Amino acid sequence: MAEPIRVLVTGAAGQIAYSLLYSIAKGDVFGKDQPIILILLDIPPMLPVLDGVVMELQDCALPLLKEVIPTDKVEVAFKDIDAAILVGSMPRKEGMERKDLLKANVAIFKTQGAALDKYAKKTVKVLVVGNPANTNCLIASKSAPSIPKENFSCLTRLDHNRACSQVAMRCGVSSDQVKNVIIWGNHSSTQYPDVHHAKVNLQGAETEAYQAIKDDAWLRGDFISTVQQRGAAVIKARKLSSAMSAAKAICDHMRDIWFGTKEGEFVSMGVYASGNSYNIPEDLIYSFPVQIKHVHLHTSASISSENEHGPKSLRTRPGKWSMAFPSMTFPEPRWTPQPQSWWRSETLPWISSPSDCHAPVSRT
């Protein structure tokens, strides 16, 4: 059996982690033959709750789970980790302004980024879940300069899965019959869910989503707003934010990071915009369609395009994995995002201020 990998989950006493940890520990994310050491980080007041989580994990008697380490110390939590799932963040409370929320999270993710830089393996894969996820991911990456930027990503897979599910329900098929939806931009209500390149398997034949659904008004209206506002709808109905679906999306995201995406498919991830071909500002964490392919040792650190529609190389690390943006042609933009006020220099003075983000533009 392989050597155990060390996987950190922050906010480990929270509701998302409670739905997530079992799936990680039983092999749904890193493989059915990969032993796991789980490190659970939370704030000191949550340690008694964390003890209960540890007991439950022990009582599951999972053969892949070799050790569980609960802690409130970053030097313990981040030591030699292979994967970090940063779920914990400061939630927005009643009466709290957005700038106050951002200031609180800057402190959290600067600390965690510095801990990654100091204690983690340089090959660590980091997924940021805590909101505002795009911003928090950028902060963590900026605070860990010795770790490659491509090792950081934030979660927009939940929005991606929501979009897949909406299309599948509309077509009367299961969600695994829908592929290549795209979430552009932020994990927020300013995102743009896009099905112009999505395919639906109808009775064994792949069909363009627009042809399968045959309702352009729905696709340009209620579909987009439903996906954009789904988190708020869950909170309104449940009085709590999404947990089970968020945990499932985290598993999907990390499994694709670890093993690669399926042939001919791409998924949505918030990644560094460096090298993108969509006119998105470079120094930004932005949700794109991405393909992830593993490469063999000593393979050239690039993916060549066989034709104009093939994947354009974005970034690779020889011997490990590569990530690429699919090359696409887009219809005329139908979406103009709201200005991102959180880029004000007084809020995050050490981050470059990007220009307003634009919708995907037509490419020839």
Side-chain angles (χ1 to χ4, degrees):
M1 186 172 280
E3 287 295 311
I5 59 171
R6 298 173 66 87
V7 178
L8 166 65
V9 178
T10 72
Q15 61 161 350
I16 292 177
Y18 194 78
S19 296
L20 171 66
L21 294 171
Y22 175 73
S23 294
I24 294 174
K26 78 183 183 73
D28 289 350
V29 178
F30 299 101
K32 298 295 185 182
D33 58 354
Q34 178 58 66
I36 300 283
I37 297 172
L38 267 179
I39 304 102
L40 310 182
L41 177 67
D42 218 311
I43 57 177
M46 299 304 294
L47 288 181
V49 177
L50 208 53
D51 288 339
V53 174
V54 172
M55 285 188 277
E56 286 215 68
L57 284 167
Q58 292 169 341
D59 295 347
C60 288
L62 297 165
L64 292 176
L65 185 58
K66 298 306 179 186
E67 188 177 0
V68 185
I69 304 170
T71 184
D72 61 350
K73 296 177 174 58
V74 295
E75 62 269 23
V76 175
F78 288 85
K79 180 67 173 175
D80 294 332
I81 56 172
D82 297 281
I85 302 172
L86 307 184
V87 179
S89 65
M90 171 70 75
R92 190 170 184 174
K93 300 174 182 177
E94 188 174 354
M96 179 182 284
E97 294 187 16
R98 189 172 179 85
K99 66 179 181 180
D100 298 324
L101 176 67
L102 284 165
K103 286 177 181 177
N105 280 303
V106 165
I108 292 169
F109 285 88
K110 281 187 74 173
T111 298
Q112 293 186 355
L116 284 162
D117 199 58
K118 185 174 182 179
Y119 301 112
K121 293 179 180 177
K122 302 310 176 188
T123 55
V124 64
K125 303 299 187 295
V126 183
L127 168 58
V128 176
V129 179
N131 287 318
N134 295 59
T135 306
N136 291 341
C137 185
L138 186 61
I139 294 165
S141 175
K142 293 277 188 178
S143 303
S146 70
I147 295 174
K149 287 180 171 61
E150 62 265 29
N151 289 23
F152 287 83
S153 58
C154 77
L155 188 73
T156 57
R157 186 60 172 269
L158 176 54
D159 309 296
H160 180 103
N161 288 352
R162 288 165 172 165
C164 282
S165 177
Q166 290 296 312
V167 171
M169 288 189 294
R170 196 78 175 185
C171 294
V173 299
S174 59
S175 58
D176 63 347
Q177 301 303 304
V178 180
K179 68 179 185 180
N180 295 352
V181 303
I182 304 169
I183 302 298
W184 298 97
N186 243 16
H187 174 60
S188 72
S189 60
T190 64
Q191 67 180 255
Y192 180 64
D194 177 8
V195 296
H196 286 99
H197 301 273
K199 308 279 190 183
V200 182
N201 190 320
L202 295 178
Q203 299 178 337
E206 280 197 352
T207 307
E208 301 282 346
Y210 268 82
Q211 293 299 318
I213 293 171
K214 295 183 173 64
D215 189 342
D216 288 13
W218 179 79
L219 284 169
R220 296 172 186 172
D222 286 349
F223 164 72
I224 291 173
S225 60
T226 296
V227 176
Q228 288 175 332
Q229 302 294 335
R230 190 65 160 189
V234 170
I235 291 173
K236 182 178 180 181
R238 193 172 170 259
K239 313 307 179 192
L240 292 167
S241 59
S242 303
M244 179 169 50
S245 57
K248 165 62 164 53
I250 292 167
C251 292
D252 292 344
H253 180 117
M254 285 303 290
R255 185 170 53 250
D256 285 340
I257 289 285
W258 215 252
F259 294 106
T261 50
K262 294 178 182 178
E263 187 66 31
E265 296 188 20
F266 45 81
V267 297
S268 303
M269 292 183 181
V271 297
Y272 248 96
S274 304
N276 79 86
S277 55
Y278 307 120
N279 291 353
I280 303 302
E282 294 272 317
D283 198 20
L284 190 67
I285 298 289
Y286 193 92
S287 183
F288 292 97
V290 300
Q291 295 170 320
I292 300 171
K293 298 180 182 296
H294 287 253
V295 294
H296 299 294
L297 286 168
H298 310 303
T299 303
S300 172
S302 65
I303 302 174
S304 60
S305 293
E306 294 183 5
N307 57 59
E308 62 179 347
H309 302 295
K312 294 232 176 176
S313 175
L314 168 64
R315 52 175 78 87
T316 64
R317 189 155 55 81
K320 293 296 182 182
W321 57 288
S322 60
M323 186 183 291
F325 294 146
S327 178
M328 304 178 193
T329 302
F330 292 94
E332 287 301 311
R334 298 190 179 96
W335 165 69
T336 303
Q338 301 170 11
Q340 300 299 309
S341 61
W342 43 266
W343 285 104
R344 293 177 298 180
S345 59
E346 66 269 23
T347 303
L348 297 174
W350 47 275
I351 296 179
S352 301
S353 177
S355 60
D356 289 341
C357 298
H358 302 288
V361 296
S362 300
R363 298 181 65 247
T364 55

